[in-house]
Amino acid sequence: MNKNVGSTDRLVRILLGIGLLLLAFEGPRTAWGYVGLVPLITGLLGYCPLYRAFGRKSLGTTMP
């Protein structure tokens, strides 16, 4: 499993995942907050299966 998620993308995914997970424990306390596990796990692993399926990667790319 090769990494295909860059550092900025990883940071955004981790923060988004934590934010969504907080919805499951704080705030409205809905089960939708568990969707935050997906960006959190992909951010921690540095690998996104959807990027692989579509032939994309954010690793090694820079913004102009």
Side-chain angles (χ1 to χ4, degrees), residues 2 4 11 19-20 22 29-30 33 40 43 50 52 58 61:
N2 296 331
N4 61 1
L11 178 65
L20 288 171
L22 286 175
R29 297 182 186 197
T30 65
L40 182 62
L50 284 177
R52 171 115 170 121
S58 63
T61 59

Side-chain angles (χ1 to χ4, degrees), residues 14-43:
I14 291 169
L15 293 175
L16 180 66
I18 291 170
L20 288 171
L21 278 173
L22 286 175
L23 291 176
F25 300 104
E26 298 292 328
R29 297 182 186 197
T30 65
W32 282 103
Y34 293 110
V35 172
L37 287 172
V38 174
L40 182 62
I41 291 170
T42 58

Side-chain angles (χ1 to χ4, degrees), residues 4-10 13 51 56-62:
N4 61 1
V5 179
S7 59
T8 304
D9 194 1
R10 289 179 74 178
R13 288 170 183 258
Y51 274 12
R56 295 191 43 138
K57 66 179 179 177
S58 63
L59 185 65
T61 59
T62 58

